[in-house]
Amino acid sequence: MEGQRTPEILDYRNKNGHGWSFFKHDGILRSINTTPEDVTEMTRKVQKLELRDDDVLVAAYPKCGTHWLWEIVTMLKAGNSEYNKKAKEIAMLGMPKFERADELPSPRVLNSHLNFRHLPEKLVEKKIRTIFIMRNPKDVSVSLFNHLNGIKLSFRFDGTYSEFLDLFLEGKVASGDYVDYVKDWLQVKQDNPDLPMLTLFYENLKKDPVKNIKTVADFIGVPVSDELCEQIAEACSFKKLKSADTEVKEHTTNPLSMWKEGRQGVYRKGEVGDWKNWITVAQNEIFDNVIERRFEGTGIVFTYE
Ligand code: A3P
């Protein structure tokens, strides 16, 4: 691993100074606000996390519906449609708070944006049920831009969507290259037939939540009535989750300290096809010619509207 040497700094800021500087650590871009030693230590802690047989892992590139799916799985595991007061960040592998994951009562719904190789070592051996959710890359780019542009934190992005897109298309964002991330997980599925893994699409969950919730319930081995699936779909609708996020959830960081005034937070719009309000004809061609082409041969077909 590149590990403990002084890393090369990759300055990905554009001519307006918008963007970030990173170093690469085990193939992943890391913010220069951290150090290789810190990353190594955090990775080690995640990899050594003691897994429990009834854990479920939600894996996703940021903005693919991680919160939404986490709430659904949490309700399915609880067997009701009540909101769990805890927010998903405490069960998020790789974030500072995850060290308290050991204190979480079973059944735990873990979640992560990490690549497979940085997740707990026993994931496959313990056959941890893993749900991987994807979203069309155009909406991912818009959602990620709005997230990074809406926060007050030091790693926010102050430029325009077009400026952001230049970086996103080249994978020069903290969450890395979207296509690589998805392909990595598809490879995991292929290489690890013993890992119980379900792949979902944000757009399908949006179109037919009840059917997808039933699929998730079957996958995690939870007997569930059609009525409960409907209740969970309703409780986890965009509108309901958005208000539960402020009214019910006990966040580890006060969202007000994180988001610029008037910005929507994680629950921004929750639509399929919002990209049409952001992407120019020329940018759309780049998506179709470059990004779609990179998915060729994977069997993945995204829905864009
Ligand atoms: P938008 O920014 O397009 O609104 P993540 O949880 O992975 O960060 O993903 C956040 C995205 O999922 C946001 O997309 C958010 O609005 C959307 N989302 C969250 N809950 C949703 C729901 N119940 N229905 C549809 N979209 C939802």
Side-chain angles (χ1 to χ4, degrees):
M1 200 151 66
E2 291 113 289
Q4 316 307 331
R5 281 175 285 121
T6 306
E8 181 195 354
I9 302 301
L10 304 166
D11 187 351
Y12 291 154
R13 286 169 302 163
N14 66 15
K15 61 181 185 334
N16 300 323
H18 298 144
W20 307 266
S21 294
F22 298 112
F23 62 90
K24 228 176 203 174
H25 189 273
D26 195 19
I28 303 292
L29 294 179
R30 302 287 182 174
S31 161
I32 55 165
N33 295 333
T34 184
T35 65
E37 292 74 19
D38 288 346
V39 175
T40 302
E41 177 64 4
M42 176 61 87
T43 306
R44 197 191 59 79
K45 282 183 181 159
V46 175
Q47 288 175 328
K48 295 290 168 212
L49 181 76
E50 197 98 9
L51 291 171
R52 305 176 195 157
D53 292 338
D54 59 353
D55 285 341
V56 174
L57 173 71
V58 170
Y61 187 89
K63 315 321 291 176
C64 287
T66 329
H67 286 76
W68 186 13
L69 185 55
W70 187 86
E71 299 292 345
I72 289 171
V73 180
T74 301
M75 287 182 184
L76 283 172
K77 280 287 206 180
N80 60 49
S81 58
E82 284 160 30
Y83 300 107
N84 186 318
K85 282 197 176 161
K86 299 275 177 232
K88 84 166 184 51
E89 55 255 29
I90 54 162
M92 191 167 193
L93 306 183
M95 298 306 265
K97 301 286 183 314
F98 102 90
E99 290 179 42
R100 285 170 45 202
D102 278 338
E103 296 165 25
L104 291 174
S106 293
R108 295 184 301 188
V109 183
L110 307 170
N111 70 105
S112 186
H113 299 317
L114 294 174
N115 285 73
F116 172 75
R117 66 182 182 281
H118 297 135
L119 285 170
E121 285 166 351
K122 298 254 169 82
L123 201 68
V124 177
E125 187 186 319
K126 296 210 81 166
K127 295 188 168 48
I128 300 301
R129 284 165 206 278
T130 300
I131 311 176
F132 176 58
I133 185 162
M134 293 171 258
R135 185 179 189 185
N136 84 60
K138 296 177 190 176
D139 280 329
V140 171
S141 74
V142 167
S143 183
L144 188 57
F145 165 73
N146 277 286
H147 183 116
L148 294 168
N149 188 250
I151 53 173
K152 290 195 258 184
L153 310 179
S154 61
F155 58 91
R156 70 183 180 273
F157 185 78
D158 289 329
T160 62
Y161 171 73
S162 287
E163 289 178 86
F164 174 79
L165 188 56
D166 289 341
L167 296 167
F168 178 82
L169 290 171
E170 293 189 14
K172 293 176 176 174
V173 292
S175 33
D177 184 273
Y178 181 58
V179 185
D180 285 348
Y181 181 87
V182 171
K183 283 186 169 175
D184 195 63
W185 272 101
L186 298 179
Q187 193 64 43
V188 168
K189 191 175 170 113
Q190 211 172 315
D191 294 346
N192 299 279
D194 286 346
L195 180 71
M197 190 174 149
L198 174 71
T199 49
L200 293 181
F201 286 92
Y202 174 102
E203 293 79 12
N204 292 347
L205 189 55
K206 179 88 188 167
K207 192 170 169 208
D208 197 342
V210 177
K211 183 174 158 206
N212 279 268
I213 290 169
K214 180 86 178 76
T215 304
V216 172
D218 290 345
F219 173 71
I220 61 176
V222 168
V224 75
S225 64
D226 291 351
E227 199 191 356
L228 182 57
C229 288
E230 279 160 26
Q231 286 165 355
I232 292 178
E234 174 60 20
C236 291
S237 67
F238 176 79
K239 228 170 131 193
K240 293 258 171 81
L241 276 189
K242 188 177 171 78
S243 49
D245 191 52
T246 44
E247 285 158 26
V248 182
K249 293 284 163 184
E250 292 166 356
H251 290 281
T252 50
T253 308
N254 178 358
L256 289 179
S257 67
M258 187 176 150
W259 294 92
K260 291 177 191 163
E261 213 178 318
R263 298 305 282 261
Q264 302 94 328
V266 167
Y267 297 91
R268 185 187 64 94
K269 208 159 179 183
E271 296 291 343
V272 178
D274 185 37
W275 60 269
K276 290 185 188 154
N277 299 314
W278 295 84
I279 294 179
T280 65
V281 172
Q283 288 165 343
N284 195 32
E285 271 175 25
I286 298 177
F287 266 105
D288 292 344
N289 293 331
V290 181
I291 300 293
E292 276 293 310
R293 199 154 289 171
R294 287 183 61 205
F295 277 110
E296 269 173 21
T298 60
I300 300 281
V301 180
F302 288 110
T303 307
Y304 287 97
E305 44 200 287

